[in-house]
Amino acid sequence: MTINSIQSGYNLINQSSQMASKAADDINSARTENDQKSTSSQLLPNDIEKKEAASNDEKSKSSSSTNNIDPLIELNKAVQYNKAGTNIVQKNQEMLGSMLDVRV
């Protein structure tokens, strides 16, 4: 039973693509949630409520930056997986090329 290394490389590249898409979706959804929170806090009529909203905005900004960290880490992982998969495919191609270059 032979294990084709090129298939492993393609699997890593596909997995990295899926990870990157999911991370991008998470970042986008966090951004839209932050935009909705900021627009809803601007509609408060009372100064006291505005001060409370400002303190809530500061809390939400710190939590939103925390929410953005995990997708960015996943995006970085996707980059590393993609590089690894690409290297596997390239090395496989080089190996096949050198085998074809062997002269009898």
Side-chain angles (χ1 to χ4, degrees), residues 6-97:
I6 199 163
Q7 188 62 37
S8 300
Y10 286 137
N11 285 340
L12 275 174
I13 292 170
N14 286 335
Q15 183 178 1
S16 72
S17 176
Q18 291 171 357
M19 289 171 65
S21 294
K22 184 181 181 309
D25 288 342
D26 291 346
I27 291 170
N28 190 27
S29 66
R31 181 178 174 202
T32 54
E33 288 174 5
N34 290 339
D35 289 345
Q36 289 174 352
K37 287 179 183 176
S38 66
T39 56
S40 66
S41 66
Q42 293 172 357
L43 301 176
L44 298 174
N46 198 339
D47 287 340
I48 296 172
E49 290 176 353
K50 286 183 182 180
K51 289 179 184 178
E52 290 173 359
S55 66
N56 288 339
D57 281 345
E58 290 174 8
K59 290 177 186 176
S60 68
K61 284 181 183 177
S62 64
S63 68
S64 69
S65 64
T66 305
N67 292 341
N68 285 337
I69 291 173
D70 291 335
L72 290 174
I73 291 172
E74 289 298 315
L75 196 56
N76 194 14
K77 282 185 195 177
V79 168
Q80 297 302 318
Y81 278 29
N82 195 329
K83 287 180 182 179
T86 304
N87 284 336
I88 290 171
V89 171
Q90 286 176 345
K91 295 301 179 188
N92 189 18
Q93 296 298 325
E94 288 175 11
M95 185 174 61
L96 286 175

